[in-house]
Amino acid sequence: MGKIIAVANQKGGVGKTTTSINLSASLASLGKKVLVIDADPQANASSGFGVDIKQLQHTIYELLVDGIDIEKALVHTEYEGIDLIPSHIDLVGAEIEMLDLDNREMVMRNVLKSVQNNYDYIVIDCSPSLGTITVNCLTAANSVIIPVQCEYFALEGIAKLLNTIKIIKEKLNPMLTIDGFLATMFDSRRCLDNQVLNELRKNFGNLVFDSVIQRNVRLSEASSYGQPVNAYDPKSKGAADYLSLAKEIVERHK
């Protein structure tokens, strides 16, 4: 049965989508079959794999709100081993529309049950919030990766996220674990970046990944071209960093 990993942090701009795209592509390069769930209304993970959401008839919105069959929303990307459930701006309204659903926190889990055995990993790109959709993602997940930008206020809000994870673990998903905290946008030349990384390791110990995602212009360039970085520039630092992360995750999940 495939491992379901939610990439979550309610703080925006910390590298959630970049991590979801490039971790998935790196796992696929290791021979893993991966399904990416774009659970962010901005749909950047969808465009990051070159998918034109304007051309799509079905997205995650119809899955969660209308209950359509998951196969109708499934997109086979041009990258071997990677499938995608795309998102759409309509997902913004799903939070309200799901309020009247029975067991609304379990919708995503039930959606993924039918395909979980088809994949080695299912990676969910969560939105920068702790609303109903993100709660659904965490309830469906086996584990969570928390990207943390190496900047001022990096640890701001983490306590709230950890409390949300604790509540979900107690009430909805007792199997939920934290895979680890991932330091992103790291520049070893800056004192602040090193301080943030040291603070992370001091507070969370072995829960901090050994792999660190360094600042690398190729990562943002790749997304703008609708490609994972290992396809855009396989020799870049960004490609090497995410491959290191993928190997570390595979090792942790043994």
Side-chain angles (χ1 to χ4, degrees):
M1 184 175 289
K3 293 280 187 183
I4 303 177
I5 303 173
V7 182
N9 190 332
Q10 79 273 21
K11 188 170 169 52
V14 299
K16 283 190 302 296
T17 300
T18 300
T19 295
S20 299
I21 293 169
N22 293 298
L23 169 61
S24 299
S26 295
L27 287 168
S29 76
L30 295 174
K32 305 300 182 183
K33 179 74 173 169
V34 184
L35 173 63
V36 181
I37 308 290
D38 189 350
D40 186 342
Q42 296 176 83
N44 289 332
S46 302
S47 59
F49 280 108
V51 174
D52 184 359
I53 60 173
K54 294 176 184 175
Q55 304 298 319
L56 299 174
Q57 187 172 359
H58 301 298
T59 66
I60 191 171
Y61 172 84
E62 285 79 18
L63 275 182
L64 298 178
V65 175
D66 298 332
I68 67 164
D69 188 277
I70 192 169
E71 295 292 338
K72 290 184 177 180
L74 198 67
V75 174
H76 302 292
T77 73
E78 62 183 274
Y79 303 101
E80 186 176 353
I82 304 174
D83 290 340
L84 171 74
I85 299 294
S87 189
H88 192 276
I89 191 62
D90 287 351
L91 192 61
V92 170
E95 302 254 340
I96 295 173
E97 295 182 60
M98 292 172 69
L99 287 177
D100 293 331
L101 295 179
D102 293 332
N103 297 317
R104 61 179 178 270
E105 299 88 358
M106 302 288 185
V107 177
M108 180 79 78
R109 177 190 284 181
N110 293 333
V111 162
L112 295 182
K113 275 181 181 176
S114 63
V115 296
Q116 192 171 355
N117 287 333
N118 300 343
Y119 299 93
D120 298 301
Y121 289 94
I122 298 176
V123 177
I124 308 176
D125 182 28
C126 298
S127 65
S129 75
L130 292 178
T132 303
I133 302 299
T134 299
V135 169
N136 256 267
C137 296
L138 294 173
T139 301
N142 302 119
S143 60
V144 190
I145 292 174
I146 304 172
V148 181
Q149 183 182 5
C150 292
E151 286 287 356
Y152 283 115
F153 309 120
L155 304 182
E156 186 182 76
I158 284 183
K160 188 173 182 182
L161 174 61
L162 292 178
N163 189 54
T164 299
I165 291 171
K166 179 184 175 186
I167 292 170
I168 288 172
K169 189 176 174 71
E170 289 174 352
K171 299 183 179 298
L172 296 167
N173 183 8
M175 305 305 290
L176 183 64
T177 61
I178 296 175
D179 263 329
F181 294 84
L182 175 67
T184 63
M185 306 179 203
F186 179 76
D187 186 341
S188 61
R189 299 167 297 180
R190 301 200 323 164
C191 289
L192 175 62
D193 293 48
N194 288 289
Q195 288 170 2
V196 170
L197 182 56
N198 289 336
E199 193 69 19
L200 268 177
R201 288 179 171 155
K202 176 183 170 185
N203 283 289
F204 301 109
N206 291 335
L207 279 179
V208 181
F209 286 106
D210 293 330
S211 304
V212 172
I213 309 303
Q214 302 169 79
R215 286 187 182 273
N216 181 227
V217 69
R218 291 297 197 226
L219 286 169
S220 51
E221 285 178 358
S223 294
S224 69
Y225 282 94
Q227 297 178 7
V229 72
N230 64 359
Y232 179 75
D233 186 352
K235 295 182 179 179
S236 64
K237 280 184 183 177
D241 289 345
Y242 275 109
L243 181 59
S244 172
L245 175 65
K247 289 177 178 177
E248 194 171 346
I249 285 172
V250 169
E251 187 64 30
R252 288 191 179 201
H253 286 179
K254 277 185 178 177

